[in-house]
């Protein structure tokens, strides 16, 4: 059999690409290692649920408040107006997406990507079967690499795929009580504290009967497990049973090129599409999977490998400005505890709260209330230049 496309990786990006292509009538193979659960806070916005037909049945919790915590312990609670943040557990969510892709017609393969071979203008993807441990060869017209940060497909096939910057994320899934200590099952806590992470943040995200507690950093030498233990202690969750421990790299910047100009395109974490500052990845992974599928569909229809460039073009058209704004915020406020203190202070502003969550829920930079934008800009400059105290609200 000659496949139209082999998708490597069965996370949100790969499963979405495989499902879209299969529903379009293409011959699709979906290769996934299985058994690997990515460390992830699990937050998804209502916009994702609308765009990708995700029902409430996939949610383990609905969050109505976000708490931002500063290095000094000051905090601001931000109500999520006119909506919620949905929480999923990746151990269940990813298999659901893979099963949905298979139901749409994608053929499942379980194993580990090894390489791409080319013979007389024919493309073959080679993987090692999980059960037999033998090499399997799949002939295909195109390949979508959705195999995560430090993607083997990207490193082997796409320029720049071996140099993408990343942070290391680590979390522990714990058996969480209904409410204890500083923990509330309807509230996400985001901790901006150099003792937890010198360059990113820590989190306490409820997952219904469980909770994800973790942090990320790109600084060498940080003890991720010790930082997470301290975070659990701060939240009053130190005595809760630990169910799982997971760690993985999280990319920091979209790659400049997503395809090899011939037969391979990468999407999701493999293309670096995790939002700066927030670390949000599920929505952008699924969006990347969708535009990757659209690009491959265009290439199959036209016979032009150059159409693979459409994946990055479509993604950046819709999300470049969001990524730029979030990167600017991370560069400005994550460099020191004094700056983190100022950032949490800025979050007290009601306009900051509303504009932030309007943009998050709808995945676009909101253009409403221009006077609010001006006021926020003035406050931002005042904090960054030290004209106001970091304790100012």
């Amino acid at each position: 059999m000659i496949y139209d496309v082999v998708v490597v990786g069965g996370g949100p990006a790969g499963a979405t690409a495989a499902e879209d292509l299969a529903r379009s009538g293409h011959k699709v193979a979906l290769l996934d290692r299985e058994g690997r659960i990515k460390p992830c806070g699990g937050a998804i916005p209502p916009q994702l649920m609308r765009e990708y037909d995700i029902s409430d049945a996939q949610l383990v919790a609905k969050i109505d408040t976000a708490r931002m915590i500063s290095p000094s312990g000051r905090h601001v609670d931000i109500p999520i107006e006119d909506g919620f943040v949905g929480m999923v557990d990746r151990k269940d969510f990813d298999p659901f997406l893979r099963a949905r892709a298979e139901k749409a017609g994608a053929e499942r393969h379980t194993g580990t990507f090894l390489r791409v071979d080319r013979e007389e203008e024919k493309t073959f993807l080679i993987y090692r079967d999980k059960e037999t441990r033998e090499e399997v060869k799949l002939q295909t017209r195109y390949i979508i690499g959705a195999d995560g940060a430090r993607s083997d497909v990207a490193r082997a096939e796409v320029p720049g795929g071996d140099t993408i910057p990343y942070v290391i994320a680590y979390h522990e899934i714990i058996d969480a009580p209904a409410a204890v200590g500083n923990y509330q099952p309807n509230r996400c806590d985001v901790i901006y504290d150099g003792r937890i992470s010198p360059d990113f943040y820590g989190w306490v995200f409820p997952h219904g009967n469980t909770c994800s507690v973790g942090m990320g950093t790109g600084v060498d030498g940080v003890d991720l497990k010790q930082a997470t233990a301290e975070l659990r202690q701060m939240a009053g969750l130190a005595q809760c049973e630990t169910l799982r421990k997971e760690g993985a790299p999280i990319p920091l910047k979209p790659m400049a090129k997503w395809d090899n100009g011939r037969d391979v395109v990468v999407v999701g974490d493999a293309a670096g599409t995790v939002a700066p500052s927030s670390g949000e990845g599920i929505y952008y992974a699924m969006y990347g999977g969708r535009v990757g599928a659209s690009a491959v569909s265009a290439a199959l229809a036209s016979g032009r490998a150059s159409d693979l460039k459409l994946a990055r073009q479509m993604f950046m058209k819709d999300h470049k400005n969001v990524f730029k704004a979030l990167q600017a915020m991370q560069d400005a406020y994550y460099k020191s505890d004094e700056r983190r203190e100022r950032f949490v202070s800025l979050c007290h502003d009601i306009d900051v709260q509303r504009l932030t969550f309007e943009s998050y829920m709808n995945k676009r930079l909101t253009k409403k209330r221009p006077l609010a934008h001006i006021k926020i800009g003035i406050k931002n400059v005042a904090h960054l230049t030290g004209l106001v105290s970091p304790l100012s609200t």
Side-chain angles (χ1 to χ4, degrees), residues 114-115 117 126-129 132-137:
L114 296 177
R115 64 187 183 277
D117 287 347
I126 315 300
Y127 75 92
R128 189 177 305 283
D129 185 89
T132 67
R133 308 305 300 166
E134 295 179 352
E135 290 192 7
V136 179
K137 177 186 288 189

Side-chain angles (χ1 to χ4, degrees), residues 18 21 74 165 174 178 214:
L21 286 160
R74 296 170 67 245
I174 63 175

Side-chain angles (χ1 to χ4, degrees), residues 123-183:
T123 299
F124 298 91
L125 182 136
I126 315 300
Y127 75 92
R128 189 177 305 283
D129 185 89
K130 183 177 180 179
E131 296 296 327
T132 67
R133 308 305 300 166
E134 295 179 352
E135 290 192 7
V136 179
K137 177 186 288 189
L138 303 178
Q139 185 175 351
T140 183
R141 293 181 174 87
Y142 293 100
I143 295 167
I144 294 179
D147 50 335
R150 295 194 291 199
S151 158
D152 289 331
V153 175
R155 285 188 287 175
E157 295 291 331
V158 179
D162 57 345
T163 59
I164 185 169
Y166 58 87
V167 299
I168 297 295
Y170 172 81
H171 80 157
E172 297 176 359
I173 297 292
I174 63 175
D175 186 9
V180 66
N182 296 320
Y183 173 76

Side-chain angles (χ1 to χ4, degrees), residues 178-191:
V180 66
N182 296 320
Y183 173 76
Q184 292 291 333
N186 65 326
R187 188 188 72 217
C188 283
D189 292 357
V190 184
I191 299 88

Side-chain angles (χ1 to χ4, degrees), residues 28 31 37 43 62 123 135 145 180 188 200 209 236 242 252 268 271 273 276 287 309-310 325 336 338 345 384 386:
V28 182
L31 172 65
I37 306 170
K62 286 187 175 181
T123 299
E135 290 192 7
V180 66
C188 283
F200 209 53
N209 294 328
T242 302
L252 291 177
T273 56
Y287 189 92
K309 292 183 174 63
L310 292 171
S336 70
E338 191 269 343
S345 179
L384 292 176

